[in-house]
Amino acid sequence: MSGLRGRIERRHLVLVGLAVLVALAGCTGGTGDATETPANTSTPTDGVGDSDSEQRQNASIDNYTAGEGLESELTPPAELSVGVEAVRNDTQTAIAGVDGYRLTGDSTLRTQSNNVGQTQEIKRETRVDRERSRLASNQTVSARGRTIDQATYIVDGTLYQRSAQFVRAYNSEWVKQDISENFSTIFGNSDRLALYERMLENGSVNLEGAQTVNGTDTYRLRVRTNSTAFANVFNLPTDAESDAAMVTTFWVDTESSTIVRAEGAMEVVTTIQGQQTVVSGSFVEQFEYGPVEVTLPEEAGTAYEIGSDGTDA
C-alpha cells in the first residue's frame, strides 16, 4: 500500500504543480482533479499549446537571474543599515495590513512529459479585495500564434470562470462552482500576497541589496523555497513525495515595506513508473495598492453550475 500511496502522491504533485503555476499566472483553481474538470483546469487552452516534441525547458531555479530588465544598479547589502530579518518582518507586517491591491504580470508555463512539451505565455491583470474576500482576474493565453481570453472571479463563496472552451461541454462560456467548503484554502492560494507572506515565513531569505524600481527605492529580497517549504506555502500534504523548488525575488518599498515588484521561477519534477514529468514556469509582477472594486459581470449570471467534484451540480 505504501508504494501505491507514493505513486498517487507523486501524481498528485504533478497536478498540484500545474495548479500552482496556474495560480502564479493569475488564475484560480477549483477543488477537484485538475485533469478532469474545467473549473479546476484554470487555463483551458482551447487548443492553444505546443504539443510538438521539444527540449526540456528547465526553469534553472538555482541559476535564475532576476531584475535583468532593470536599469538601476544594485547597492550591496554591506552598505545598508538594515538586516535581512528586519526587512522580512516589516514586509510580512505590511502584507498583513493590505486591504486591496492590483497586480499586472507576465508568466510562462511549461510542461514536459514523455518527450512532449507545452508552453503558454500569459498576460494578466488581477484585482484583489481582501476586506471582502473577492478577486477578479483577466488574462490572455498565447501559444503557437493563437491567443484566447479568459476570466476568473471569486465572489461570495463562488468561483466563476469564463472561457470559450467551456461551450463544448456546457453550452456556456461561463461556469461556476461553490467553493465555500474550501474557501480559505482556495482564496488563500489565489491571493498572491498571502502566498508571498507564507514564502517569507517558510523559505530561505537573503537580502541582496537595495535598488530603485520605477523611481521607488526598494530593498531586494531573494527567497529560496525547497520541497518542504513549498508544501507549506501552497497548503500541500507535508508527506507528499516531490522534487519541488522555487525562487522568488521581491523588491520592497523602503518606506512602506510593501512589495512593488516580484519575479521568480519554479519547477516540480516527478517520476511515475519511469516516466518523468517536469512542470516549470517563470513570472514577473508589478503591484499597486489601494481600494479596488470587484463586481461580477452581468453575463456571469447565466453561468452553468458544476459540483465541487467537477460533475454537474
Side-chain angles (χ1 to χ4, degrees):
M1 288 296 294
S2 60
L4 175 60
R5 180 185 179 190
R7 289 195 296 272
I8 292 174
E9 287 176 343
R10 286 192 293 274
R11 176 178 181 273
H12 177 66
L13 258 293
V14 175
L15 302 179
V16 165
L18 287 166
V20 167
L21 287 174
V22 165
L24 291 172
C27 311
T28 304
T31 59
D33 189 328
T35 64
E36 296 176 357
T37 73
N40 300 331
T41 306
S42 301
T43 54
T45 62
D46 195 23
V48 176
D50 186 359
S51 59
D52 295 333
S53 177
E54 59 182 40
Q55 289 187 340
R56 169 179 165 180
Q57 299 186 48
N58 192 300
S60 303
I61 301 300
D62 292 321
N63 298 320
Y64 182 76
T65 301
E68 291 187 326
L70 300 178
E71 296 181 356
S72 58
E73 295 183 359
L74 183 67
T75 301
E79 298 182 18
L80 304 180
S81 60
V82 65
V84 61
E85 288 302 318
V87 176
R88 172 163 66 176
N89 292 338
D90 288 347
T91 304
Q92 290 180 283
T93 299
I95 289 175
V98 171
D99 293 328
Y101 67 92
R102 296 173 179 265
L103 74 84
T104 56
D106 300 300
S107 302
T108 300
L109 304 185
R110 310 180 189 93
T111 60
Q112 183 76 22
S113 181
N114 196 26
N115 295 321
V116 177
Q118 282 190 326
T119 301
Q120 296 179 335
E121 301 293 336
I122 299 176
K123 295 183 178 294
R124 78 277 188 195
E125 186 272 335
T126 301
R127 306 186 308 279
V128 182
D129 182 346
R130 303 181 93 196
E131 281 193 303
R132 301 179 66 189
S133 297
R134 290 188 168 198
L135 174 146
S137 181
N138 291 278
Q139 54 270 342
T140 59
V141 183
S142 302
R144 302 189 69 180
R146 297 185 60 194
T147 298
I148 60 174
D149 297 322
Q150 302 168 351
T152 300
Y153 286 79
I154 295 178
V155 176
D156 299 336
T158 301
L159 169 67
Y160 296 84
Q161 293 179 295
R162 175 182 59 78
S163 172
Q165 186 184 33
F166 297 148
V167 175
R168 299 174 184 171
Y170 304 112
N171 198 32
S172 171
E173 286 194 351
W174 284 90
V175 298
K176 65 180 180 180
Q177 186 176 27
D178 184 350
I179 58 173
S180 56
E181 292 186 2
N182 299 289
F183 185 82
S184 295
T185 297
I186 294 174
F187 191 83
N189 280 347
S190 306
D191 177 359
R192 190 76 87 259
L193 290 183
L195 285 174
Y196 288 165
E197 187 174 9
R198 296 198 293 272
M199 284 185 192
L200 290 166
E201 180 67 27
N202 291 278
S204 175
V205 184
N206 292 314
L207 176 61
E208 294 190 322
Q211 194 169 24
T212 301
V213 179
N214 296 328
T216 300
D217 293 333
T218 70
Y219 296 120
R220 180 164 152 173
L221 293 175
R222 182 181 176 92
V223 183
R224 181 67 157 76
T225 308
N226 61 18
S227 292
T228 300
F230 186 92
N232 291 333
V233 169
F234 292 100
N235 294 312
L236 307 179
T238 55
D239 62 344
E241 299 178 24
S242 69
D243 180 5
M246 185 170 185
V247 61
T248 309
T249 300
F250 299 117
W251 286 263
V252 179
D253 191 318
T254 58
E255 294 186 3
S256 67
S257 296
T258 55
I259 297 171
V260 299
R261 177 185 172 96
E263 184 176 339
M266 67 159 286
E267 183 176 85
V268 178
V269 181
T270 60
T271 302
I272 303 175
Q273 296 180 343
Q275 179 175 313
Q276 186 180 77
T277 298
V278 181
V279 181
S280 63
S282 58
F283 60 94
V284 179
E285 301 168 341
Q286 304 285 345
F287 288 81
E288 296 181 2
Y289 298 91
V292 298
E293 182 177 357
V294 175
T295 303
L296 195 65
E298 184 177 345
E299 314 88 79
T302 60
Y304 186 92
E305 185 171 4
I306 60 178
S308 60
D309 60 354
T311 61
D312 292 354

